[in-house]
Amino acid sequence: LALAFEPRENDVMSRRPRPPSESLLSRYFMWRVVMVSVLMAGGALTMFLWELRLGTSVETARTMAVNAIVVAEMFYLLNNRFLLEPVLNRIGLFGNKIALATVVACATLQLAFTYAPPMNAFFGSTPLGHVEWLKAAGVGALVFAVVETEKYMVRRLRRTPARQPEPAA
């Protein structure tokens, strides 16, 4: 919803329009959804299982996994400010005040989920320490880094002109 308030990108009028017969969800968008879903779920599940193996309680490991997914979603919201352009700049990170307010609201709700006793009782969550938060944030940072790298690679592939075959002798 926060991205609905996104200002237009500078090159929007130089892009070719989507043909009316083309699906709204292109193969590229489907790829991105699958890739990010696998990263988020895989990162959270790996961290959850690893924490259990280290002897962490199920409640703490579960709270870490939920927070990892939510932090990853917040990072991914920032990734999606631009489809292919990098967001690691002033406009990319701070150009949409609604997106920033959404991240702040989401973080506030996650803090309540993690630390408010009524929420702990209802959801079976537990308070986390600094190290647990760093691990959960690491999953989000991993998603952010992979998506930004993927965007870079797509930009690079699209800007590289196709090689012309050599003329036959």
Side-chain angles (χ1 to χ4, degrees), residues 37-89:
S37 298
V38 168
L39 283 171
M40 285 184 188
L45 181 61
T46 299
M47 186 180 60
F48 175 79
L49 294 174
W50 186 11
E51 287 299 317
L52 289 180
R53 180 174 248 178
L54 292 175
T56 303
S57 72
V58 172
E59 294 79 16
T60 299
R62 183 175 50 228
T63 304
M64 290 174 67
V66 169
N67 279 304
I69 290 171
V70 172
V71 169
E73 288 174 350
M74 287 188 270
F75 274 112
Y76 189 53
L77 171 63
L78 296 176
N79 280 125
N80 278 323
R81 296 264 343 273
F82 303 124
L83 179 61
L84 293 176
E85 295 303 313
V87 295
L88 288 176
N89 56 55

CSV table of all heavy atoms in Angstrom, one decimal, residues 37-89:
chain,number,residue,atom,x,y,z
A,37,SER,N,10.4,-14.6,-2.0
A,37,SER,CA,9.7,-15.6,-1.0
A,37,SER,C,10.6,-16.7,-0.5
A,37,SER,O,10.6,-17.0,0.6
A,37,SER,CB,8.4,-16.1,-1.8
A,37,SER,OG,7.5,-15.1,-2.1
A,38,VAL,N,11.3,-17.2,-1.4
A,38,VAL,CA,12.3,-18.3,-1.1
A,38,VAL,C,13.3,-17.8,-0.1
A,38,VAL,O,13.7,-18.4,0.9
A,38,VAL,CB,12.9,-19.0,-2.3
A,38,VAL,CG1,14.0,-19.9,-1.9
A,38,VAL,CG2,11.8,-19.8,-3.1
A,39,LEU,N,13.9,-16.6,-0.4
A,39,LEU,CA,14.9,-16.0,0.5
A,39,LEU,C,14.3,-15.7,1.9
A,39,LEU,O,15.0,-16.1,2.9
A,39,LEU,CB,15.4,-14.7,-0.1
A,39,LEU,CG,16.4,-14.8,-1.3
A,39,LEU,CD1,16.6,-13.4,-1.9
A,39,LEU,CD2,17.7,-15.3,-0.8
A,40,MET,N,13.1,-15.1,1.9
A,40,MET,CA,12.6,-14.8,3.3
A,40,MET,C,12.2,-16.1,4.0
A,40,MET,O,12.6,-16.2,5.2
A,40,MET,CB,11.3,-14.0,3.1
A,40,MET,CG,11.5,-12.6,2.7
A,40,MET,SD,9.9,-11.7,2.7
A,40,MET,CE,10.4,-10.1,2.0
A,41,ALA,N,11.5,-17.0,3.4
A,41,ALA,CA,11.2,-18.2,4.1
A,41,ALA,C,12.4,-19.1,4.4
A,41,ALA,O,12.5,-19.6,5.5
A,41,ALA,CB,10.2,-19.0,3.2
A,42,GLY,N,13.3,-19.2,3.5
A,42,GLY,CA,14.5,-20.0,3.7
A,42,GLY,C,15.4,-19.4,4.8
A,42,GLY,O,15.9,-20.1,5.7
A,43,GLY,N,15.5,-18.0,4.8
A,43,GLY,CA,16.3,-17.4,5.8
A,43,GLY,C,15.7,-17.5,7.2
A,43,GLY,O,16.4,-17.9,8.2
A,44,ALA,N,14.4,-17.4,7.3
A,44,ALA,CA,13.7,-17.5,8.6
A,44,ALA,C,13.7,-18.9,9.1
A,44,ALA,O,14.0,-19.2,10.3
A,44,ALA,CB,12.3,-17.0,8.5
A,45,LEU,N,13.5,-19.9,8.2
A,45,LEU,CA,13.5,-21.3,8.6
A,45,LEU,C,14.9,-21.7,9.0
A,45,LEU,O,15.0,-22.4,10.0
A,45,LEU,CB,12.9,-22.2,7.5
A,45,LEU,CG,12.8,-23.7,7.8
A,45,LEU,CD1,11.9,-23.9,9.0
A,45,LEU,CD2,12.4,-24.4,6.5
A,46,THR,N,15.9,-21.3,8.2
A,46,THR,CA,17.2,-21.7,8.6
A,46,THR,C,17.6,-21.2,9.9
A,46,THR,O,18.2,-21.9,10.8
A,46,THR,CB,18.2,-21.2,7.5
A,46,THR,OG1,17.9,-21.8,6.2
A,46,THR,CG2,19.7,-21.5,7.8
A,47,MET,N,17.3,-19.9,10.2
A,47,MET,CA,17.6,-19.3,11.5
A,47,MET,C,16.9,-20.0,12.6
A,47,MET,O,17.5,-20.3,13.6
A,47,MET,CB,17.3,-17.8,11.5
A,47,MET,CG,17.8,-17.1,12.7
A,47,MET,SD,17.4,-15.4,12.8
A,47,MET,CE,15.6,-15.4,12.6
A,48,PHE,N,15.6,-20.3,12.4
A,48,PHE,CA,14.8,-21.0,13.4
A,48,PHE,C,15.4,-22.3,13.7
A,48,PHE,O,15.6,-22.7,14.9
A,48,PHE,CB,13.4,-21.2,12.8
A,48,PHE,CG,12.5,-22.0,13.7
A,48,PHE,CD1,11.9,-21.4,14.9
A,48,PHE,CD2,12.2,-23.3,13.5
A,48,PHE,CE1,11.1,-22.2,15.7
A,48,PHE,CE2,11.4,-24.1,14.3
A,48,PHE,CZ,10.8,-23.5,15.4
A,49,LEU,N,15.7,-23.1,12.7
A,49,LEU,CA,16.3,-24.5,13.0
A,49,LEU,C,17.7,-24.4,13.6
A,49,LEU,O,18.0,-25.2,14.5
A,49,LEU,CB,16.3,-25.3,11.7
A,49,LEU,CG,15.0,-25.6,11.1
A,49,LEU,CD1,15.1,-26.3,9.7
A,49,LEU,CD2,14.2,-26.5,12.0
A,50,TRP,N,18.5,-23.4,13.2
A,50,TRP,CA,19.8,-23.2,13.7
A,50,TRP,C,19.7,-22.9,15.2
A,50,TRP,O,20.4,-23.4,16.0
A,50,TRP,CB,20.5,-22.2,12.9
A,50,TRP,CG,22.0,-22.0,13.3
A,50,TRP,CD1,22.7,-22.8,14.1
A,50,TRP,CD2,22.8,-20.9,12.9
A,50,TRP,NE1,24.0,-22.2,14.3
A,50,TRP,CE2,24.1,-21.1,13.5
A,50,TRP,CE3,22.6,-19.8,12.1
A,50,TRP,CZ2,25.1,-20.2,13.3
A,50,TRP,CZ3,23.7,-18.9,11.9
A,50,TRP,CH2,24.9,-19.2,12.5
A,51,GLU,N,18.8,-22.0,15.5
A,51,GLU,CA,18.6,-21.6,16.9
A,51,GLU,C,18.2,-22.7,17.8
A,51,GLU,O,18.6,-22.9,18.9
A,51,GLU,CB,17.6,-20.4,17.0
A,51,GLU,CG,18.1,-19.1,16.5
A,51,GLU,CD,19.4,-18.6,17.3
A,51,GLU,OE1,19.4,-18.7,18.5
A,51,GLU,OE2,20.3,-18.1,16.6
A,52,LEU,N,17.3,-23.6,17.3
A,52,LEU,CA,16.9,-24.7,18.0
A,52,LEU,C,18.0,-25.7,18.3
A,52,LEU,O,18.2,-26.2,19.3
A,52,LEU,CB,15.7,-25.5,17.3
A,52,LEU,CG,14.4,-24.8,17.3
A,52,LEU,CD1,13.4,-25.7,16.5
A,52,LEU,CD2,13.9,-24.5,18.7
A,53,ARG,N,18.9,-25.8,17.2
A,53,ARG,CA,20.1,-26.7,17.4
A,53,ARG,C,21.0,-26.1,18.4
A,53,ARG,O,21.7,-26.9,19.1
A,53,ARG,CB,20.8,-26.8,16.0
A,53,ARG,CG,22.0,-27.6,16.1
A,53,ARG,CD,22.5,-27.8,14.7
A,53,ARG,NE,22.3,-29.2,14.4
A,53,ARG,CZ,22.6,-29.8,13.2
A,53,ARG,NH1,23.1,-29.1,12.3
A,53,ARG,NH2,22.5,-31.1,13.0
A,54,LEU,N,21.1,-24.8,18.6
A,54,LEU,CA,21.9,-24.2,19.6
A,54,LEU,C,21.3,-24.2,21.0
A,54,LEU,O,22.0,-23.8,21.9
A,54,LEU,CB,22.2,-22.7,19.2
A,54,LEU,CG,23.0,-22.4,17.9
A,54,LEU,CD1,23.1,-20.9,17.6
A,54,LEU,CD2,24.4,-23.0,18.1
A,55,GLY,N,20.1,-24.7,21.1
A,55,GLY,CA,19.5,-24.9,22.4
A,55,GLY,C,18.6,-23.8,22.8
A,55,GLY,O,18.1,-23.7,23.9
A,56,THR,N,18.3,-22.9,21.8
A,56,THR,CA,17.3,-21.8,22.1
A,56,THR,C,15.9,-22.4,22.2
A,56,THR,O,15.6,-23.3,21.6
A,56,THR,CB,17.4,-20.8,20.9
A,56,THR,OG1,18.7,-20.3,20.7
A,56,THR,CG2,16.5,-19.6,21.1
A,57,SER,N,15.1,-21.7,23.1
A,57,SER,CA,13.8,-22.2,23.3
A,57,SER,C,13.0,-22.1,22.0
A,57,SER,O,13.3,-21.2,21.1
A,57,SER,CB,13.1,-21.5,24.4
A,57,SER,OG,12.8,-20.1,24.0
A,58,VAL,N,12.0,-22.9,21.8
A,58,VAL,CA,11.1,-22.8,20.6
A,58,VAL,C,10.4,-21.5,20.5
A,58,VAL,O,10.3,-20.9,19.4
A,58,VAL,CB,10.0,-24.0,20.7
A,58,VAL,CG1,9.0,-23.8,19.6
A,58,VAL,CG2,10.6,-25.3,20.6
A,59,GLU,N,10.0,-20.9,21.7
A,59,GLU,CA,9.3,-19.6,21.6
A,59,GLU,C,10.3,-18.5,21.2
A,59,GLU,O,9.9,-17.7,20.4
A,59,GLU,CB,8.8,-19.3,23.1
A,59,GLU,CG,7.7,-20.2,23.5
A,59,GLU,CD,8.2,-21.5,24.1
A,59,GLU,OE1,9.4,-21.7,24.3
A,59,GLU,OE2,7.4,-22.4,24.2
A,60,THR,N,11.5,-18.5,21.6
A,60,THR,CA,12.5,-17.5,21.2
A,60,THR,C,12.8,-17.7,19.7
A,60,THR,O,12.9,-16.7,19.0
A,60,THR,CB,13.7,-17.5,22.1
A,60,THR,OG1,13.3,-17.3,23.4
A,60,THR,CG2,14.8,-16.5,21.6
A,61,ALA,N,13.1,-18.9,19.3
A,61,ALA,CA,13.4,-19.2,17.9
A,61,ALA,C,12.3,-18.8,17.0
A,61,ALA,O,12.5,-18.2,15.9
A,61,ALA,CB,13.7,-20.7,17.7
A,62,ARG,N,11.0,-19.0,17.4
A,62,ARG,CA,9.9,-18.7,16.7
A,62,ARG,C,9.7,-17.1,16.6
A,62,ARG,O,9.5,-16.6,15.5
A,62,ARG,CB,8.6,-19.3,17.3
A,62,ARG,CG,7.3,-19.0,16.5
A,62,ARG,CD,6.1,-19.7,17.0
A,62,ARG,NE,6.0,-19.5,18.5
A,62,ARG,CZ,5.8,-20.5,19.4
A,62,ARG,NH1,5.6,-21.7,19.0
A,62,ARG,NH2,5.6,-20.2,20.6
A,63,THR,N,10.0,-16.5,17.7
A,63,THR,CA,9.9,-15.0,17.7
A,63,THR,C,11.0,-14.4,16.8
A,63,THR,O,10.7,-13.5,16.0
A,63,THR,CB,10.1,-14.5,19.1
A,63,THR,OG1,9.1,-15.0,20.0
A,63,THR,CG2,10.0,-13.0,19.2
A,64,MET,N,12.2,-15.0,16.8
A,64,MET,CA,13.2,-14.6,15.9
A,64,MET,C,12.8,-14.8,14.4
A,64,MET,O,13.1,-13.9,13.6
A,64,MET,CB,14.5,-15.3,16.2
A,64,MET,CG,15.2,-14.9,17.5
A,64,MET,SD,16.6,-15.9,17.9
A,64,MET,CE,17.7,-15.4,16.7
A,65,ALA,N,12.2,-15.9,14.1
A,65,ALA,CA,11.8,-16.2,12.7
A,65,ALA,C,10.8,-15.2,12.3
A,65,ALA,O,10.9,-14.7,11.1
A,65,ALA,CB,11.3,-17.6,12.6
A,66,VAL,N,9.8,-14.9,13.1
A,66,VAL,CA,8.7,-14.0,12.7
A,66,VAL,C,9.4,-12.6,12.5
A,66,VAL,O,9.1,-11.9,11.5
A,66,VAL,CB,7.6,-13.9,13.8
A,66,VAL,CG1,6.7,-12.7,13.6
A,66,VAL,CG2,6.9,-15.2,13.8
A,67,ASN,N,10.2,-12.2,13.4
A,67,ASN,CA,10.9,-10.9,13.3
A,67,ASN,C,11.8,-10.8,12.1
A,67,ASN,O,11.8,-9.8,11.4
A,67,ASN,CB,11.6,-10.5,14.5
A,67,ASN,CG,10.7,-10.0,15.6
A,67,ASN,OD1,10.0,-9.0,15.4
A,67,ASN,ND2,10.7,-10.6,16.8
A,68,ALA,N,12.4,-11.9,11.7
A,68,ALA,CA,13.3,-12.0,10.5
A,68,ALA,C,12.4,-11.7,9.3
A,68,ALA,O,12.8,-11.0,8.4
A,68,ALA,CB,14.0,-13.3,10.4
A,69,ILE,N,11.3,-12.4,9.2
A,69,ILE,CA,10.4,-12.2,8.0
A,69,ILE,C,9.9,-10.8,8.0
A,69,ILE,O,9.9,-10.1,6.9
A,69,ILE,CB,9.2,-13.2,8.1
A,69,ILE,CG1,9.7,-14.6,7.8
A,69,ILE,CG2,8.2,-12.8,7.1
A,69,ILE,CD1,8.7,-15.7,8.1
A,70,VAL,N,9.5,-10.2,9.1
A,70,VAL,CA,9.0,-8.8,9.1
A,70,VAL,C,10.1,-7.8,8.7
A,70,VAL,O,9.9,-6.9,7.9
A,70,VAL,CB,8.3,-8.5,10.4
A,70,VAL,CG1,7.9,-7.0,10.5
A,70,VAL,CG2,7.0,-9.4,10.6
A,71,VAL,N,11.3,-8.0,9.3
A,71,VAL,CA,12.4,-7.1,9.0
A,71,VAL,C,12.7,-7.3,7.5
A,71,VAL,O,13.0,-6.3,6.8
A,71,VAL,CB,13.6,-7.4,9.9
A,71,VAL,CG1,14.8,-6.7,9.3
A,71,VAL,CG2,13.3,-7.0,11.3
A,72,ALA,N,12.7,-8.5,7.0
A,72,ALA,CA,13.0,-8.7,5.5
A,72,ALA,C,11.9,-8.0,4.7
A,72,ALA,O,12.3,-7.4,3.6
A,72,ALA,CB,13.0,-10.2,5.2
A,73,GLU,N,10.7,-8.0,5.1
A,73,GLU,CA,9.6,-7.3,4.4
A,73,GLU,C,9.8,-5.8,4.4
A,73,GLU,O,9.6,-5.1,3.4
A,73,GLU,CB,8.3,-7.7,4.9
A,73,GLU,CG,7.8,-9.1,4.6
A,73,GLU,CD,6.5,-9.5,5.3
A,73,GLU,OE1,6.0,-8.8,6.2
A,73,GLU,OE2,6.0,-10.6,4.9
A,74,MET,N,10.3,-5.3,5.5
A,74,MET,CA,10.6,-3.8,5.6
A,74,MET,C,11.7,-3.5,4.6
A,74,MET,O,11.7,-2.5,3.9
A,74,MET,CB,10.9,-3.4,7.0
A,74,MET,CG,9.7,-3.4,7.9
A,74,MET,SD,10.0,-2.7,9.5
A,74,MET,CE,10.6,-4.1,10.4
A,75,PHE,N,12.8,-4.3,4.6
A,75,PHE,CA,13.9,-4.1,3.7
A,75,PHE,C,13.4,-4.2,2.2
A,75,PHE,O,13.8,-3.4,1.4
A,75,PHE,CB,15.0,-5.1,3.9
A,75,PHE,CG,16.0,-4.7,4.9
A,75,PHE,CD1,16.1,-5.4,6.1
A,75,PHE,CD2,16.9,-3.6,4.7
A,75,PHE,CE1,17.0,-5.0,7.1
A,75,PHE,CE2,17.8,-3.3,5.7
A,75,PHE,CZ,17.9,-4.0,6.9
A,76,TYR,N,12.5,-5.2,2.0
A,76,TYR,CA,12.0,-5.4,0.6
A,76,TYR,C,11.1,-4.2,0.2
A,76,TYR,O,11.1,-3.9,-1.0
A,76,TYR,CB,11.3,-6.7,0.5
A,76,TYR,CG,11.0,-7.1,-0.9
A,76,TYR,CD1,12.0,-7.1,-1.9
A,76,TYR,CD2,9.7,-7.4,-1.3
A,76,TYR,CE1,11.7,-7.5,-3.2
A,76,TYR,CE2,9.4,-7.8,-2.6
A,76,TYR,CZ,10.4,-7.8,-3.5
A,76,TYR,OH,10.1,-8.1,-4.8
A,77,LEU,N,10.4,-3.6,1.1
A,77,LEU,CA,9.6,-2.4,0.7
A,77,LEU,C,10.6,-1.4,0.2
A,77,LEU,O,10.3,-0.7,-0.8
A,77,LEU,CB,8.9,-1.9,2.0
A,77,LEU,CG,8.2,-0.6,1.8
A,77,LEU,CD1,7.1,-0.6,0.7
A,77,LEU,CD2,7.6,-0.1,3.1
A,78,LEU,N,11.7,-1.2,0.8
A,78,LEU,CA,12.7,-0.2,0.3
A,78,LEU,C,13.2,-0.6,-1.0
A,78,LEU,O,13.4,0.2,-1.9
A,78,LEU,CB,13.8,0.0,1.4
A,78,LEU,CG,13.3,0.6,2.7
A,78,LEU,CD1,14.5,0.7,3.7
A,78,LEU,CD2,12.7,2.0,2.5
A,79,ASN,N,13.5,-1.9,-1.2
A,79,ASN,CA,14.0,-2.4,-2.5
A,79,ASN,C,13.1,-2.1,-3.6
A,79,ASN,O,13.5,-1.7,-4.7
A,79,ASN,CB,14.1,-4.0,-2.5
A,79,ASN,CG,15.4,-4.5,-1.8
A,79,ASN,OD1,15.2,-5.3,-0.9
A,79,ASN,ND2,16.5,-4.1,-2.2
A,80,ASN,N,11.8,-2.2,-3.3
A,80,ASN,CA,10.8,-2.0,-4.3
A,80,ASN,C,10.4,-0.5,-4.7
A,80,ASN,O,9.6,-0.3,-5.5
A,80,ASN,CB,9.5,-2.7,-3.9
A,80,ASN,CG,9.6,-4.2,-4.3
A,80,ASN,OD1,10.1,-4.6,-5.3
A,80,ASN,ND2,9.0,-5.0,-3.4
A,81,ARG,N,11.1,0.4,-4.0
A,81,ARG,CA,10.9,1.8,-4.4
A,81,ARG,C,11.2,2.0,-5.9
A,81,ARG,O,10.5,2.8,-6.5
A,81,ARG,CB,11.8,2.7,-3.6
A,81,ARG,CG,11.6,2.7,-2.1
A,81,ARG,CD,10.7,3.8,-1.5
A,81,ARG,NE,10.5,4.9,-2.4
A,81,ARG,CZ,11.3,6.0,-2.4
A,81,ARG,NH1,12.3,6.1,-1.7
A,81,ARG,NH2,10.9,7.0,-3.2
A,82,PHE,N,12.2,1.3,-6.4
A,82,PHE,CA,12.5,1.3,-7.8
A,82,PHE,C,12.7,-0.1,-8.3
A,82,PHE,O,13.3,-0.9,-7.7
A,82,PHE,CB,13.9,2.1,-8.0
A,82,PHE,CG,13.9,3.5,-7.4
A,82,PHE,CD1,14.9,3.8,-6.6
A,82,PHE,CD2,13.0,4.4,-7.8
A,82,PHE,CE1,15.0,5.1,-6.0
A,82,PHE,CE2,13.0,5.7,-7.3
A,82,PHE,CZ,14.0,6.0,-6.4
A,83,LEU,N,12.1,-0.3,-9.5
A,83,LEU,CA,12.1,-1.7,-10.0
A,83,LEU,C,13.5,-2.2,-10.3
A,83,LEU,O,13.8,-3.3,-9.9
A,83,LEU,CB,11.2,-1.7,-11.3
A,83,LEU,CG,11.1,-3.0,-12.0
A,83,LEU,CD1,10.5,-4.0,-11.2
A,83,LEU,CD2,10.4,-2.8,-13.3
A,84,LEU,N,14.3,-1.4,-11.0
A,84,LEU,CA,15.6,-1.8,-11.3
A,84,LEU,C,16.7,-0.9,-10.8
A,84,LEU,O,17.9,-1.3,-10.7
A,84,LEU,CB,15.7,-2.0,-12.9
A,84,LEU,CG,14.9,-3.1,-13.5
A,84,LEU,CD1,15.0,-3.0,-15.0
A,84,LEU,CD2,15.3,-4.4,-13.0
A,85,GLU,N,16.4,0.3,-10.5
A,85,GLU,CA,17.5,1.2,-10.0
A,85,GLU,C,17.8,1.0,-8.6
A,85,GLU,O,17.0,0.5,-7.8
A,85,GLU,CB,17.0,2.7,-10.2
A,85,GLU,CG,16.8,3.0,-11.7
A,85,GLU,CD,18.1,2.8,-12.5
A,85,GLU,OE1,19.2,3.2,-12.1
A,85,GLU,OE2,18.0,2.2,-13.6
A,86,PRO,N,19.0,1.3,-8.2
A,86,PRO,CA,19.4,1.1,-6.8
A,86,PRO,C,18.7,2.0,-5.9
A,86,PRO,O,18.3,3.1,-6.2
A,86,PRO,CB,20.9,1.3,-6.8
A,86,PRO,CG,21.2,2.2,-8.0
A,86,PRO,CD,20.1,1.8,-9.0
A,87,VAL,N,18.5,1.6,-4.6
A,87,VAL,CA,17.8,2.5,-3.6
A,87,VAL,C,18.8,3.0,-2.6
A,87,VAL,O,18.4,3.7,-1.7
A,87,VAL,CB,16.6,1.7,-3.0
A,87,VAL,CG1,15.6,1.4,-4.0
A,87,VAL,CG2,17.1,0.5,-2.2
A,88,LEU,N,20.0,2.6,-2.7
A,88,LEU,CA,21.0,3.1,-1.7
A,88,LEU,C,21.5,4.5,-2.0
A,88,LEU,O,22.6,4.7,-2.4
A,88,LEU,CB,22.2,2.1,-1.6
A,88,LEU,CG,21.9,0.8,-1.0
A,88,LEU,CD1,23.1,-0.1,-1.0
A,88,LEU,CD2,21.4,1.0,0.5
A,89,ASN,N,20.6,5.4,-1.9
A,89,ASN,CA,20.8,6.8,-2.1
A,89,ASN,C,19.8,7.6,-1.3
A,89,ASN,O,18.8,7.0,-0.8
A,89,ASN,CB,20.9,7.2,-3.6
A,89,ASN,CG,19.6,6.9,-4.3
A,89,ASN,OD1,18.5,7.3,-3.9
A,89,ASN,ND2,19.7,6.1,-5.4
